[in-house]
Amino acid sequence: MRRGSRSGPRRALSSPRRAVALGGGHGLAANLRSLRLLVDDITAVVTVADDGGSSGRIRAELPVLPPGDLRMALAALCEDSDWGAFWHDAVQHRFVTDGDLDGHALGNLMIVAMWQILEDPIAGLDRIGELLGARGRVLPMALDPLDIEAQVAFADGTRGTVRGQAQVAKVPGRVESMRLIPERPRVPEEVLRAIAEADWVIVGPGSWYTSVLPHLQIPEIAEALRTTRAHRCVVMNLSSGGEEIEGMRSTDLLRVLLDSAPETSFDTVIADPTALEDAVELAEFARTRGIRTLLRQVSVGGGVPVHDPVRLAAAYRDVFDGVYGDVEGTQDEEEGTQHGIDR
């Protein structure tokens, strides 16, 4: 049985489609490169807790949001033209010097310059998006820079507290819980409006505790996600375990996400059975929570945990159209289709 409630009937699956993607870093960028192949109206809602690298240095020097994940999202949405290709490379360019500019990304500096000139973080991002010809809009999930604090079970058996997105993301252990500081940051009205008006809201892929779950920790975004009439989709990562999620499988990650949003009902999970050893178990667990699963290769293959934009877009196309598998075949195959499992 589905949990949670909606403000009204879900939107129809037919075009035009408005999609909102929640996340950050490389996972969100990969997601946007796929969505732009299908969707004309895309809004990326981006984490603002980065405190490492160029973003961390800017954040330590200026009272601004960390621009790095916002820059990556903008670059992923650059228009398909020589102009878009040039500006994609330009904003991603990092300086290599022996001085203070070393390691800074040009796009980070451009974004901060717009913020100082316009004195409005949303207007600044929109102006950069216009320059890049972005196929969508990029918004910060909060107007206040955030810190992440996590309770971690370390690989050596001890437990402790780790603070800072960069530290949590590479901690050699398993995050047991996390919180945002501040716990109730200011949320842009544009973010809440985009979620309310979307046809689909997509959560993941990305670093689970530092890019994906933070959205669900902000009360206003969690409530907007719960009450939207949009369909809700979770895209699983292409690998499990490792830093930050030591010993966790994809089923564990989905359970943590659902438990973080207990009043929200999700419609679909997309997972790659060629990359995840527990893909069938994941699908069965999702079914017990009233969620359909599309098992489909969305990676580039060869054991490389990188999303293929065209394959992921094809998976989205089927999900958007309500196609989860072949309805013809053996009884087992038909049962798998009824369970939302694309075998």
Side-chain angles (χ1 to χ4, degrees), residues 206-273:
S207 298
W208 220 242
Y209 283 94
T210 54
S211 292
V212 177
L213 294 182
H215 293 81
L216 305 180
Q217 298 290 317
I218 297 179
E220 289 85 350
I221 293 180
E223 179 64 10
L225 185 61
R226 184 185 73 82
T227 58
T228 181
R229 293 170 55 203
H231 297 258
R232 308 176 187 94
C233 176
V234 179
V235 181
M236 302 304 300
N237 291 343
L238 297 174
S239 62
S240 55
E243 295 175 340
E244 158 185 323
I245 52 173
E246 184 69 34
M248 298 181 75
R249 301 197 301 165
S250 61
T251 304
D252 301 317
L253 298 181
L254 180 60
R255 181 181 290 108
V256 168
L257 186 147
L258 297 179
D259 289 346
S260 297
E263 300 300 322
T264 300
S265 58
F266 288 86
D267 300 278
T268 302
V269 170
I270 297 176
D272 189 332

Side-chain angles (χ1 to χ4, degrees), residues 30-312:
N31 200 14
L32 296 175
R33 283 192 289 270
S34 296
L35 285 171
R36 56 177 294 181
L37 299 177
L38 294 175
V39 184
D40 292 327
D41 190 340
I42 304 171
T43 300
V45 179
V46 186
T47 52
V48 287
D50 190 4
D51 62 351
S54 173
S55 288
R57 290 159 59 194
I58 290 172
R59 179 174 171 176
E61 185 172 343
L62 297 168
V64 296
L65 298 172
D69 286 357
L70 296 162
R71 180 201 80 246
M72 291 180 63
L74 284 164
L77 290 173
C78 280
E79 68 178 29
D80 294 315
S81 66
D82 290 342
W83 178 270
F86 171 80
W87 279 109
H88 171 277
D89 294 343
V91 297
Q92 296 285 61
H93 173 75
R94 289 189 184 272
F95 294 97
V96 179
T97 77
D98 294 325
D100 292 341
L101 276 177
D102 186 58
H104 275 304
L106 175 61
N108 288 355
L109 303 180
M110 292 172 61
I111 290 171
V112 173
M114 289 298 100
W115 288 343
Q116 290 191 335
I117 292 169
L118 298 176
E119 299 182 340
D120 183 332
I122 305 300
L125 290 169
D126 286 344
R127 188 60 57 90
I128 295 292
E130 292 173 6
L131 175 65
L132 273 55
R135 290 275 309 275
R137 195 178 193 191
V138 173
L139 299 171
M141 72 176 187
L143 296 172
D144 303 301
L146 301 175
D147 281 321
I148 293 176
E149 184 177 273
Q151 300 300 314
V152 180
F154 297 107
D156 62 5
T158 62
R159 283 178 165 77
T161 301
V162 177
R163 181 163 176 169
Q165 184 271 341
Q167 295 301 313
V168 173
K170 64 182 182 182
V171 67
R174 176 173 177 170
V175 174
E176 296 184 323
S177 64
M178 55 85 69
R179 71 185 185 103
L180 298 178
I181 303 172
E183 295 182 350
R184 297 189 71 99
R186 295 172 297 154
V187 177
E189 286 296 326
E190 293 87 347
V191 167
L192 304 180
R193 188 180 310 118
I195 294 173
E197 296 176 353
D199 297 309
W200 282 88
V201 178
I202 298 164
V203 180
S207 298
W208 220 242
Y209 283 94
T210 54
S211 292
V212 177
L213 294 182
H215 293 81
L216 305 180
Q217 298 290 317
I218 297 179
E220 289 85 350
I221 293 180
E223 179 64 10
L225 185 61
R226 184 185 73 82
T227 58
T228 181
R229 293 170 55 203
H231 297 258
R232 308 176 187 94
C233 176
V234 179
V235 181
M236 302 304 300
N237 291 343
L238 297 174
S239 62
S240 55
E243 295 175 340
E244 158 185 323
I245 52 173
E246 184 69 34
M248 298 181 75
R249 301 197 301 165
S250 61
T251 304
D252 301 317
L253 298 181
L254 180 60
R255 181 181 290 108
V256 168
L257 186 147
L258 297 179
D259 289 346
S260 297
E263 300 300 322
T264 300
S265 58
F266 288 86
D267 300 278
T268 302
V269 170
I270 297 176
D272 189 332
T274 71
L276 300 174
E277 293 182 355
D278 66 330
V280 174
E281 179 185 336
L282 171 76
E284 289 299 327
F285 169 71
R287 183 180 62 82
T288 67
R289 296 294 189 97
I291 305 170
R292 302 188 73 181
T293 302
L294 179 69
L295 296 183
R296 183 72 55 79
Q297 180 177 347
V298 292
S299 65
V300 296
V304 180
V306 175
H307 285 89
D308 181 282
V310 175
R311 284 174 171 164
L312 182 54

